Amino acid sequence: MNRALPLIGFALLAVLFGFGLWWNTRHDQREVPSPLIGKPAPAFSLPLLDDPSTRVSKAEMLGQPYLVNVFASWCIACGEEHPVLMQEARQLGVPVIGYNYKDDPDAAKAWLAQHGNPYSMVVTDRSGATAIDFGVYGAPETFLIDADGIIRYKRIGPLTPQVIADVLEPKIQALKHAAPKQESP
Amino acid sequence: MKRRHVLLLLLGLCVTFAAHAIDPLKFKDRAQELRFQHLTRELRCLVCQNESLLDSQAELAQQMRHIIYKQMQNGRSDDEIKQYLVDRYSDYVLYDPPLKPSTWLLWFGPGLIVLLGAAGVLFTVRKRARSAPATPPPIDDEDW
């Protein structure tokens, strides 16, 4: 038994090491959990990409659940995410607002013209000041905001078909079942 | 002697210019500048997560330094500024996380491991002492 002790010790370390590897494949080390989940989304008022004189505010969006997808033409991971949004955004059943983050408006327009526009509208935050209120630290990020303006879910990193099917869609469905209570007939 | 002083002074100026070229912030006095440096050293940059806000050259870090600077000019305390960032980016921005149930493992984990190790050593030593023969083992004079 005593002679086997070092071997047992080594085996335990090996198991711990293996667990660490396994854990890291399933978790993003860089992901910072948002403290805003379950709290009211910050107030915002941002100009539309196509028509900067028109602003969209949080108050206008109340009454229905919606998604906010933070993207930029300079963001490489957004390019990976984009085909997924092109395919799935219309089927989600909620408006998907494009949040153009620290981007040149012309570059953003060219990018959307080239890759397609999956968004129901696109707002711009060129300075990124409002994005700090949302706790944005890297694009792409996606927020699910309910009819009362509460942030229900945040995805850091690209949306994938799997994340949409496993996490996002169930959450949207849950909100849509709860939403009719808010609407006046 | 005087020339050397002037030279030193010029050298000193070079250093300050170099330091300010990166991020030109005007502080009202040295104390505030030190306070700013101390505070931003305690905060984590979210883009390059092994760097503090003070050291990071990331665009977001620069933006946050400006926000912190502005809030400082407006008379906000260090705790208020930290809370502002924690509200948006969670405790993760703090290099010195607060003691609360979710961070107990972080704070006490290392001590726990040391205790476990000490218990293991104690256990082994006691067991050996008990099983050791009363007479010393015969001297091994085998020829190598």
mmCIF file of all heavy atoms in Angstrom, chain B residues 40-86:
data_model
loop_
_atom_site.group_PDB
_atom_site.id
_atom_site.type_symbol
_atom_site.label_atom_id
_atom_site.label_comp_id
_atom_site.label_asym_id
_atom_site.label_seq_id
_atom_site.Cartn_x
_atom_site.Cartn_y
_atom_site.Cartn_z
ATOM 1 N N THR B 40 -5.985 52.934 -10.638
ATOM 2 C CA THR B 40 -6.036 52.197 -11.906
ATOM 3 C C THR B 40 -5.149 50.954 -11.856
ATOM 4 O O THR B 40 -5.337 50.030 -12.630
ATOM 5 C CB THR B 40 -5.606 53.082 -13.096
ATOM 6 O OG1 THR B 40 -4.390 53.734 -12.757
ATOM 7 C CG2 THR B 40 -6.659 54.102 -13.428
ATOM 8 N N ARG B 41 -4.193 50.929 -10.924
ATOM 9 C CA ARG B 41 -3.363 49.737 -10.783
ATOM 10 C C ARG B 41 -4.167 48.597 -10.138
ATOM 11 O O ARG B 41 -3.857 47.437 -10.303
ATOM 12 C CB ARG B 41 -2.130 50.059 -9.948
ATOM 13 C CG ARG B 41 -1.009 49.053 -10.130
ATOM 14 C CD ARG B 41 0.243 49.477 -9.394
ATOM 15 N NE ARG B 41 0.972 50.505 -10.092
ATOM 16 C CZ ARG B 41 1.443 51.612 -9.520
ATOM 17 N NH1 ARG B 41 1.214 51.836 -8.247
ATOM 18 N NH2 ARG B 41 2.112 52.487 -10.212
ATOM 19 N N GLU B 42 -5.200 48.961 -9.395
ATOM 20 C CA GLU B 42 -6.009 47.962 -8.686
ATOM 21 C C GLU B 42 -7.152 47.436 -9.542
ATOM 22 O O GLU B 42 -7.922 46.599 -9.092
ATOM 23 C CB GLU B 42 -6.609 48.581 -7.419
ATOM 24 C CG GLU B 42 -5.645 48.671 -6.281
ATOM 25 C CD GLU B 42 -6.313 49.216 -5.045
ATOM 26 O OE1 GLU B 42 -7.490 49.607 -5.101
ATOM 27 O OE2 GLU B 42 -5.647 49.239 -4.009
ATOM 28 N N LEU B 43 -7.284 47.975 -10.747
ATOM 29 C CA LEU B 43 -8.405 47.586 -11.596
ATOM 30 C C LEU B 43 -7.907 46.830 -12.812
ATOM 31 O O LEU B 43 -6.882 47.165 -13.397
ATOM 32 C CB LEU B 43 -9.184 48.829 -12.026
ATOM 33 C CG LEU B 43 -9.862 49.571 -10.867
ATOM 34 C CD1 LEU B 43 -10.291 50.956 -11.293
ATOM 35 C CD2 LEU B 43 -11.046 48.796 -10.345
ATOM 36 N N ARG B 44 -8.670 45.825 -13.195
ATOM 37 C CA ARG B 44 -8.257 44.950 -14.267
ATOM 38 C C ARG B 44 -8.785 45.462 -15.610
ATOM 39 O O ARG B 44 -9.925 45.892 -15.722
ATOM 40 C CB ARG B 44 -8.826 43.559 -14.009
ATOM 41 C CG ARG B 44 -8.351 42.496 -14.977
ATOM 42 C CD ARG B 44 -9.277 41.313 -14.945
ATOM 43 N NE ARG B 44 -9.371 40.689 -13.639
ATOM 44 C CZ ARG B 44 -8.589 39.691 -13.237
ATOM 45 N NH1 ARG B 44 -7.688 39.206 -14.023
ATOM 46 N NH2 ARG B 44 -8.751 39.182 -12.040
ATOM 47 N N CYS B 45 -7.931 45.382 -16.616
ATOM 48 C CA CYS B 45 -8.379 45.677 -17.968
ATOM 49 C C CYS B 45 -9.151 44.460 -18.474
ATOM 50 O O CYS B 45 -8.698 43.327 -18.322
ATOM 51 C CB CYS B 45 -7.186 45.948 -18.871
ATOM 52 S SG CYS B 45 -7.629 45.969 -20.611
ATOM 53 N N LEU B 46 -10.316 44.694 -19.077
ATOM 54 C CA LEU B 46 -11.154 43.568 -19.481
ATOM 55 C C LEU B 46 -10.740 42.977 -20.815
ATOM 56 O O LEU B 46 -11.135 41.879 -21.164
ATOM 57 C CB LEU B 46 -12.612 44.013 -19.548
ATOM 58 C CG LEU B 46 -13.194 44.170 -18.145
ATOM 59 C CD1 LEU B 46 -13.922 45.457 -18.017
ATOM 60 C CD2 LEU B 46 -14.051 42.985 -17.792
ATOM 61 N N VAL B 47 -9.950 43.725 -21.569
ATOM 62 C CA VAL B 47 -9.560 43.228 -22.880
ATOM 63 C C VAL B 47 -8.336 42.318 -22.757
ATOM 64 O O VAL B 47 -8.343 41.185 -23.212
ATOM 65 C CB VAL B 47 -9.289 44.398 -23.848
ATOM 66 C CG1 VAL B 47 -8.889 43.875 -25.206
ATOM 67 C CG2 VAL B 47 -10.527 45.267 -23.966
ATOM 68 N N CYS B 48 -7.293 42.847 -22.097
ATOM 69 C CA CYS B 48 -6.122 41.996 -21.862
ATOM 70 C C CYS B 48 -6.106 41.737 -20.371
ATOM 71 O O CYS B 48 -5.612 42.538 -19.606
ATOM 72 C CB CYS B 48 -4.842 42.682 -22.301
ATOM 73 S SG CYS B 48 -5.027 44.444 -22.462
ATOM 74 N N GLN B 49 -6.660 40.614 -19.989
ATOM 75 C CA GLN B 49 -7.072 40.460 -18.598
ATOM 76 C C GLN B 49 -5.936 40.257 -17.608
ATOM 77 O O GLN B 49 -6.175 40.163 -16.414
ATOM 78 C CB GLN B 49 -8.091 39.333 -18.513
ATOM 79 C CG GLN B 49 -9.329 39.705 -19.318
ATOM 80 C CD GLN B 49 -10.412 38.663 -19.242
ATOM 81 O OE1 GLN B 49 -10.193 37.571 -18.787
ATOM 82 N NE2 GLN B 49 -11.594 39.017 -19.700
ATOM 83 N N ASN B 50 -4.716 40.185 -18.081
ATOM 84 C CA ASN B 50 -3.623 40.091 -17.127
ATOM 85 C C ASN B 50 -2.953 41.432 -16.897
ATOM 86 O O ASN B 50 -1.921 41.505 -16.256
ATOM 87 C CB ASN B 50 -2.587 39.060 -17.600
ATOM 88 C CG ASN B 50 -3.143 37.664 -17.478
ATOM 89 O OD1 ASN B 50 -3.918 37.389 -16.568
ATOM 90 N ND2 ASN B 50 -2.765 36.797 -18.381
ATOM 91 N N GLU B 51 -3.563 42.464 -17.420
ATOM 92 C CA GLU B 51 -2.983 43.786 -17.248
ATOM 93 C C GLU B 51 -3.920 44.676 -16.446
ATOM 94 O O GLU B 51 -5.140 44.514 -16.503
ATOM 95 C CB GLU B 51 -2.750 44.434 -18.618
ATOM 96 C CG GLU B 51 -1.431 44.059 -19.237
ATOM 97 C CD GLU B 51 -1.152 44.887 -20.474
ATOM 98 O OE1 GLU B 51 -1.944 44.860 -21.408
ATOM 99 O OE2 GLU B 51 -0.135 45.570 -20.481
ATOM 100 N N SER B 52 -3.338 45.597 -15.719
ATOM 101 C CA SER B 52 -4.173 46.548 -14.995
ATOM 102 C C SER B 52 -4.595 47.664 -15.947
ATOM 103 O O SER B 52 -4.027 47.825 -17.023
ATOM 104 C CB SER B 52 -3.409 47.128 -13.813
ATOM 105 O OG SER B 52 -2.393 47.971 -14.294
ATOM 106 N N LEU B 53 -5.586 48.436 -15.509
ATOM 107 C CA LEU B 53 -6.027 49.564 -16.334
ATOM 108 C C LEU B 53 -4.900 50.563 -16.533
ATOM 109 O O LEU B 53 -4.823 51.227 -17.558
ATOM 110 C CB LEU B 53 -7.222 50.266 -15.666
ATOM 111 C CG LEU B 53 -8.596 49.678 -15.907
ATOM 112 C CD1 LEU B 53 -9.645 50.579 -15.306
ATOM 113 C CD2 LEU B 53 -8.858 49.496 -17.391
ATOM 114 N N LEU B 54 -4.012 50.645 -15.538
ATOM 115 C CA LEU B 54 -2.906 51.605 -15.632
ATOM 116 C C LEU B 54 -1.941 51.210 -16.748
ATOM 117 O O LEU B 54 -1.473 52.046 -17.503
ATOM 118 C CB LEU B 54 -2.157 51.678 -14.297
ATOM 119 C CG LEU B 54 -0.960 52.626 -14.265
ATOM 120 C CD1 LEU B 54 -1.422 54.066 -14.362
ATOM 121 C CD2 LEU B 54 -0.145 52.422 -13.007
ATOM 122 N N ASP B 55 -1.659 49.910 -16.850
ATOM 123 C CA ASP B 55 -0.643 49.454 -17.795
ATOM 124 C C ASP B 55 -1.176 49.242 -19.202
ATOM 125 O O ASP B 55 -0.424 49.301 -20.161
ATOM 126 C CB ASP B 55 -0.053 48.118 -17.316
ATOM 127 C CG ASP B 55 0.666 48.277 -15.997
ATOM 128 O OD1 ASP B 55 1.243 49.350 -15.788
ATOM 129 O OD2 ASP B 55 0.643 47.336 -15.186
ATOM 130 N N SER B 56 -2.458 48.946 -19.314
ATOM 131 C CA SER B 56 -2.966 48.456 -20.581
ATOM 132 C C SER B 56 -3.034 49.540 -21.646
ATOM 133 O O SER B 56 -3.421 50.676 -21.378
ATOM 134 C CB SER B 56 -4.352 47.855 -20.389
ATOM 135 O OG SER B 56 -4.819 47.411 -21.637
ATOM 136 N N GLN B 57 -2.648 49.152 -22.847
ATOM 137 C CA GLN B 57 -2.748 50.059 -23.987
ATOM 138 C C GLN B 57 -4.012 49.800 -24.797
ATOM 139 O O GLN B 57 -4.202 50.380 -25.850
ATOM 140 C CB GLN B 57 -1.522 49.893 -24.888
ATOM 141 C CG GLN B 57 -0.273 50.534 -24.306
ATOM 142 C CD GLN B 57 -0.467 52.004 -24.055
ATOM 143 O OE1 GLN B 57 -0.848 52.741 -24.935
ATOM 144 N NE2 GLN B 57 -0.224 52.448 -22.834
ATOM 145 N N ALA B 58 -4.865 48.890 -24.324
ATOM 146 C CA ALA B 58 -6.095 48.599 -25.055
ATOM 147 C C ALA B 58 -6.975 49.839 -25.102
ATOM 148 O O ALA B 58 -6.969 50.655 -24.176
ATOM 149 C CB ALA B 58 -6.836 47.450 -24.391
ATOM 150 N N GLU B 59 -7.734 49.949 -26.182
ATOM 151 C CA GLU B 59 -8.571 51.134 -26.368
ATOM 152 C C GLU B 59 -9.589 51.273 -25.250
ATOM 153 O O GLU B 59 -9.836 52.363 -24.742
ATOM 154 C CB GLU B 59 -9.270 51.005 -27.716
ATOM 155 C CG GLU B 59 -9.602 52.325 -28.352
ATOM 156 C CD GLU B 59 -10.502 52.131 -29.558
ATOM 157 O OE1 GLU B 59 -10.252 51.203 -30.336
ATOM 158 O OE2 GLU B 59 -11.452 52.914 -29.692
ATOM 159 N N LEU B 60 -10.169 50.130 -24.859
ATOM 160 C CA LEU B 60 -11.179 50.163 -23.804
ATOM 161 C C LEU B 60 -10.565 50.630 -22.484
ATOM 162 O O LEU B 60 -11.183 51.383 -21.729
ATOM 163 C CB LEU B 60 -11.816 48.781 -23.650
ATOM 164 C CG LEU B 60 -13.021 48.706 -22.724
ATOM 165 C CD1 LEU B 60 -14.204 49.455 -23.308
ATOM 166 C CD2 LEU B 60 -13.414 47.260 -22.448
ATOM 167 N N ALA B 61 -9.333 50.195 -22.224
ATOM 168 C CA ALA B 61 -8.658 50.591 -20.983
ATOM 169 C C ALA B 61 -8.433 52.099 -20.977
ATOM 170 O O ALA B 61 -8.618 52.778 -19.967
ATOM 171 C CB ALA B 61 -7.338 49.854 -20.848
ATOM 172 N N GLN B 62 -8.050 52.618 -22.131
ATOM 173 C CA GLN B 62 -7.826 54.058 -22.249
ATOM 174 C C GLN B 62 -9.118 54.825 -21.982
ATOM 175 O O GLN B 62 -9.139 55.816 -21.255
ATOM 176 C CB GLN B 62 -7.315 54.352 -23.656
ATOM 177 C CG GLN B 62 -6.646 55.686 -23.785
ATOM 178 C CD GLN B 62 -6.039 55.850 -25.159
ATOM 179 O OE1 GLN B 62 -5.656 54.884 -25.810
ATOM 180 N NE2 GLN B 62 -5.967 57.082 -25.619
ATOM 181 N N GLN B 63 -10.202 54.303 -22.569
ATOM 182 C CA GLN B 63 -11.505 54.929 -22.367
ATOM 183 C C GLN B 63 -11.890 54.912 -20.886
ATOM 184 O O GLN B 63 -12.393 55.895 -20.353
ATOM 185 C CB GLN B 63 -12.539 54.163 -23.183
ATOM 186 C CG GLN B 63 -13.826 54.917 -23.376
ATOM 187 C CD GLN B 63 -14.780 54.169 -24.295
ATOM 188 O OE1 GLN B 63 -14.513 53.048 -24.702
ATOM 189 N NE2 GLN B 63 -15.886 54.781 -24.613
ATOM 190 N N MET B 64 -11.622 53.789 -20.235
ATOM 191 C CA MET B 64 -11.958 53.683 -18.814
ATOM 192 C C MET B 64 -11.093 54.597 -17.964
ATOM 193 O O MET B 64 -11.558 55.166 -16.988
ATOM 194 C CB MET B 64 -11.806 52.239 -18.361
ATOM 195 C CG MET B 64 -12.963 51.398 -18.834
ATOM 196 S SD MET B 64 -12.793 49.750 -18.217
ATOM 197 C CE MET B 64 -14.349 49.078 -18.749
ATOM 198 N N ARG B 65 -9.820 54.738 -18.359
ATOM 199 C CA ARG B 65 -8.950 55.667 -17.627
ATOM 200 C C ARG B 65 -9.518 57.079 -17.709
ATOM 201 O O ARG B 65 -9.519 57.813 -16.720
ATOM 202 C CB ARG B 65 -7.536 55.637 -18.206
ATOM 203 C CG ARG B 65 -6.694 54.470 -17.719
ATOM 204 C CD ARG B 65 -5.212 54.732 -17.922
ATOM 205 N NE ARG B 65 -4.855 54.852 -19.320
ATOM 206 C CZ ARG B 65 -4.469 53.829 -20.082
ATOM 207 N NH1 ARG B 65 -4.389 52.625 -19.580
ATOM 208 N NH2 ARG B 65 -4.155 54.020 -21.349
ATOM 209 N N HIS B 66 -10.041 57.426 -18.874
ATOM 210 C CA HIS B 66 -10.617 58.762 -19.021
ATOM 211 C C HIS B 66 -11.866 58.924 -18.168
ATOM 212 O O HIS B 66 -12.105 59.987 -17.592
ATOM 213 C CB HIS B 66 -10.926 59.051 -20.496
ATOM 214 C CG HIS B 66 -9.714 59.453 -21.271
ATOM 215 N ND1 HIS B 66 -9.360 60.760 -21.464
ATOM 216 C CD2 HIS B 66 -8.758 58.705 -21.859
ATOM 217 C CE1 HIS B 66 -8.226 60.805 -22.164
ATOM 218 N NE2 HIS B 66 -7.846 59.566 -22.411
ATOM 219 N N ILE B 67 -12.664 57.851 -18.107
ATOM 220 C CA ILE B 67 -13.872 57.906 -17.267
ATOM 221 C C ILE B 67 -13.481 58.080 -15.806
ATOM 222 O O ILE B 67 -14.041 58.917 -15.089
ATOM 223 C CB ILE B 67 -14.709 56.625 -17.469
ATOM 224 C CG1 ILE B 67 -15.370 56.653 -18.847
ATOM 225 C CG2 ILE B 67 -15.759 56.503 -16.368
ATOM 226 C CD1 ILE B 67 -16.055 55.375 -19.223
ATOM 227 N N ILE B 68 -12.487 57.302 -15.374
ATOM 228 C CA ILE B 68 -12.034 57.383 -13.981
ATOM 229 C C ILE B 68 -11.481 58.781 -13.698
ATOM 230 O O ILE B 68 -11.769 59.391 -12.675
ATOM 231 C CB ILE B 68 -10.975 56.300 -13.703
ATOM 232 C CG1 ILE B 68 -11.629 54.917 -13.754
ATOM 233 C CG2 ILE B 68 -10.303 56.525 -12.353
ATOM 234 C CD1 ILE B 68 -10.643 53.772 -13.758
ATOM 235 N N TYR B 69 -10.708 59.282 -14.646
ATOM 236 C CA TYR B 69 -10.131 60.612 -14.502
ATOM 237 C C TYR B 69 -11.232 61.667 -14.340
ATOM 238 O O TYR B 69 -11.189 62.500 -13.447
ATOM 239 C CB TYR B 69 -9.282 60.913 -15.746
ATOM 240 C CG TYR B 69 -8.759 62.317 -15.828
ATOM 241 C CD1 TYR B 69 -7.677 62.721 -15.059
ATOM 242 C CD2 TYR B 69 -9.352 63.248 -16.679
ATOM 243 C CE1 TYR B 69 -7.192 64.011 -15.126
ATOM 244 C CE2 TYR B 69 -8.878 64.538 -16.762
ATOM 245 C CZ TYR B 69 -7.801 64.915 -15.991
ATOM 246 O OH TYR B 69 -7.329 66.202 -16.062
ATOM 247 N N LYS B 70 -12.246 61.555 -15.211
ATOM 248 C CA LYS B 70 -13.348 62.521 -15.166
ATOM 249 C C LYS B 70 -14.082 62.446 -13.838
ATOM 250 O O LYS B 70 -14.409 63.475 -13.241
ATOM 251 C CB LYS B 70 -14.317 62.232 -16.315
ATOM 252 C CG LYS B 70 -14.482 63.428 -17.244
ATOM 253 C CD LYS B 70 -15.548 63.169 -18.270
ATOM 254 C CE LYS B 70 -15.105 63.676 -19.633
ATOM 255 N NZ LYS B 70 -15.873 63.065 -20.717
ATOM 256 N N GLN B 71 -14.353 61.209 -13.397
ATOM 257 C CA GLN B 71 -15.078 61.060 -12.139
ATOM 258 C C GLN B 71 -14.259 61.604 -10.980
ATOM 259 O O GLN B 71 -14.799 62.157 -10.025
ATOM 260 C CB GLN B 71 -15.415 59.579 -11.915
ATOM 261 C CG GLN B 71 -16.380 59.065 -12.974
ATOM 262 C CD GLN B 71 -17.061 57.780 -12.555
ATOM 263 O OE1 GLN B 71 -16.734 57.191 -11.535
ATOM 264 N NE2 GLN B 71 -18.009 57.346 -13.351
ATOM 265 N N MET B 72 -12.942 61.454 -11.066
ATOM 266 C CA MET B 72 -12.071 61.991 -10.028
ATOM 267 C C MET B 72 -12.160 63.513 -9.991
ATOM 268 O O MET B 72 -12.226 64.125 -8.930
ATOM 269 C CB MET B 72 -10.630 61.585 -10.321
ATOM 270 C CG MET B 72 -10.057 60.666 -9.285
ATOM 271 S SD MET B 72 -8.384 60.230 -9.742
ATOM 272 C CE MET B 72 -8.284 58.692 -8.877
ATOM 273 N N GLN B 73 -12.164 64.124 -11.190
ATOM 274 C CA GLN B 73 -12.270 65.581 -11.258
ATOM 275 C C GLN B 73 -13.599 66.051 -10.670
ATOM 276 O O GLN B 73 -13.704 67.149 -10.145
ATOM 277 C CB GLN B 73 -12.153 66.078 -12.703
ATOM 278 C CG GLN B 73 -10.894 65.646 -13.421
ATOM 279 C CD GLN B 73 -9.629 66.109 -12.737
ATOM 280 O OE1 GLN B 73 -9.564 67.229 -12.255
ATOM 281 N NE2 GLN B 73 -8.638 65.248 -12.649
ATOM 282 N N ASN B 74 -14.617 65.171 -10.790
ATOM 283 C CA ASN B 74 -15.928 65.543 -10.264
ATOM 284 C C ASN B 74 -16.064 65.222 -8.780
ATOM 285 O O ASN B 74 -17.167 65.280 -8.236
ATOM 286 C CB ASN B 74 -17.036 64.825 -11.039
ATOM 287 C CG ASN B 74 -17.107 65.321 -12.473
ATOM 288 O OD1 ASN B 74 -16.659 66.420 -12.773
ATOM 289 N ND2 ASN B 74 -17.650 64.500 -13.355
ATOM 290 N N GLY B 75 -14.962 64.832 -8.173
ATOM 291 C CA GLY B 75 -14.962 64.661 -6.728
ATOM 292 C C GLY B 75 -15.489 63.325 -6.236
ATOM 293 O O GLY B 75 -15.825 63.196 -5.059
ATOM 294 N N ARG B 76 -15.551 62.338 -7.140
ATOM 295 C CA ARG B 76 -16.003 61.023 -6.678
ATOM 296 C C ARG B 76 -14.887 60.309 -5.918
ATOM 297 O O ARG B 76 -13.719 60.431 -6.260
ATOM 298 C CB ARG B 76 -16.402 60.168 -7.879
ATOM 299 C CG ARG B 76 -17.647 60.680 -8.555
ATOM 300 C CD ARG B 76 -18.775 59.694 -8.376
ATOM 301 N NE ARG B 76 -19.576 59.573 -9.570
ATOM 302 C CZ ARG B 76 -20.140 58.435 -9.962
ATOM 303 N NH1 ARG B 76 -19.937 57.331 -9.285
ATOM 304 N NH2 ARG B 76 -20.900 58.408 -11.019
ATOM 305 N N SER B 77 -15.272 59.551 -4.912
ATOM 306 C CA SER B 77 -14.269 58.837 -4.125
ATOM 307 C C SER B 77 -13.841 57.567 -4.851
ATOM 308 O O SER B 77 -14.503 57.111 -5.787
ATOM 309 C CB SER B 77 -14.843 58.479 -2.760
ATOM 310 O OG SER B 77 -15.751 57.413 -2.898
ATOM 311 N N ASP B 78 -12.720 56.989 -4.404
ATOM 312 C CA ASP B 78 -12.218 55.759 -5.013
ATOM 313 C C ASP B 78 -13.271 54.659 -4.954
ATOM 314 O O ASP B 78 -13.459 53.916 -5.915
ATOM 315 C CB ASP B 78 -10.949 55.284 -4.288
ATOM 316 C CG ASP B 78 -9.750 56.143 -4.658
ATOM 317 O OD1 ASP B 78 -9.962 57.161 -5.346
ATOM 318 O OD2 ASP B 78 -8.630 55.795 -4.261
ATOM 319 N N ASP B 79 -13.947 54.545 -3.807
ATOM 320 C CA ASP B 79 -14.954 53.487 -3.655
ATOM 321 C C ASP B 79 -16.116 53.684 -4.622
ATOM 322 O O ASP B 79 -16.643 52.721 -5.170
ATOM 323 C CB ASP B 79 -15.475 53.455 -2.209
ATOM 324 C CG ASP B 79 -14.452 52.809 -1.282
ATOM 325 O OD1 ASP B 79 -13.539 52.127 -1.802
ATOM 326 O OD2 ASP B 79 -14.563 52.991 -0.059
ATOM 327 N N GLU B 80 -16.505 54.937 -4.810
ATOM 328 C CA GLU B 80 -17.609 55.216 -5.743
ATOM 329 C C GLU B 80 -17.215 54.858 -7.168
ATOM 330 O O GLU B 80 -18.010 54.298 -7.926
ATOM 331 C CB GLU B 80 -17.997 56.702 -5.668
ATOM 332 C CG GLU B 80 -18.856 57.044 -4.467
ATOM 333 C CD GLU B 80 -19.019 58.549 -4.276
ATOM 334 O OE1 GLU B 80 -18.145 59.321 -4.729
ATOM 335 O OE2 GLU B 80 -20.010 58.941 -3.677
ATOM 336 N N ILE B 81 -15.980 55.164 -7.523
ATOM 337 C CA ILE B 81 -15.507 54.855 -8.877
ATOM 338 C C ILE B 81 -15.429 53.342 -9.065
ATOM 339 O O ILE B 81 -15.852 52.810 -10.091
ATOM 340 C CB ILE B 81 -14.137 55.514 -9.136
ATOM 341 C CG1 ILE B 81 -14.282 57.036 -9.125
ATOM 342 C CG2 ILE B 81 -13.559 55.048 -10.457
ATOM 343 C CD1 ILE B 81 -12.981 57.789 -9.147
ATOM 344 N N LYS B 82 -14.917 52.650 -8.050
ATOM 345 C CA LYS B 82 -14.853 51.193 -8.129
ATOM 346 C C LYS B 82 -16.252 50.607 -8.274
ATOM 347 O O LYS B 82 -16.474 49.702 -9.075
ATOM 348 C CB LYS B 82 -14.196 50.622 -6.872
ATOM 349 C CG LYS B 82 -12.689 50.628 -6.916
ATOM 350 C CD LYS B 82 -12.140 49.921 -5.698
ATOM 351 C CE LYS B 82 -10.650 50.103 -5.584
ATOM 352 N NZ LYS B 82 -10.154 49.618 -4.291
ATOM 353 N N GLN B 83 -17.197 51.129 -7.492
ATOM 354 C CA GLN B 83 -18.565 50.612 -7.546
ATOM 355 C C GLN B 83 -19.170 50.830 -8.936
ATOM 356 O O GLN B 83 -19.874 49.974 -9.457
ATOM 357 C CB GLN B 83 -19.424 51.300 -6.461
ATOM 358 C CG GLN B 83 -20.750 50.608 -6.205
ATOM 359 C CD GLN B 83 -20.579 49.136 -5.840
ATOM 360 O OE1 GLN B 83 -19.744 48.790 -5.023
ATOM 361 N NE2 GLN B 83 -21.354 48.264 -6.471
ATOM 362 N N TYR B 84 -18.860 51.976 -9.528
ATOM 363 C CA TYR B 84 -19.336 52.272 -10.878
ATOM 364 C C TYR B 84 -18.903 51.173 -11.847
ATOM 365 O O TYR B 84 -19.688 50.687 -12.660
ATOM 366 C CB TYR B 84 -18.769 53.637 -11.308
ATOM 367 C CG TYR B 84 -18.968 53.987 -12.768
ATOM 368 C CD1 TYR B 84 -20.112 54.664 -13.186
ATOM 369 C CD2 TYR B 84 -18.011 53.652 -13.722
ATOM 370 C CE1 TYR B 84 -20.292 54.985 -14.517
ATOM 371 C CE2 TYR B 84 -18.178 53.974 -15.047
ATOM 372 C CZ TYR B 84 -19.323 54.641 -15.444
ATOM 373 O OH TYR B 84 -19.495 54.953 -16.772
ATOM 374 N N LEU B 85 -17.649 50.774 -11.739
ATOM 375 C CA LEU B 85 -17.141 49.738 -12.648
ATOM 376 C C LEU B 85 -17.662 48.353 -12.287
ATOM 377 O O LEU B 85 -17.972 47.551 -13.166
ATOM 378 C CB LEU B 85 -15.608 49.752 -12.645
ATOM 379 C CG LEU B 85 -15.001 50.971 -13.356
ATOM 380 C CD1 LEU B 85 -13.508 51.059 -13.100
ATOM 381 C CD2 LEU B 85 -15.271 50.919 -14.845
ATOM 382 N N VAL B 86 -17.770 48.082 -10.982
ATOM 383 C CA VAL B 86 -18.269 46.774 -10.547
ATOM 384 C C VAL B 86 -19.721 46.590 -10.991
ATOM 385 O O VAL B 86 -20.113 45.507 -11.431
ATOM 386 C CB VAL B 86 -18.131 46.617 -9.015
ATOM 387 C CG1 VAL B 86 -18.922 45.410 -8.528
ATOM 388 C CG2 VAL B 86 -16.667 46.467 -8.635
#
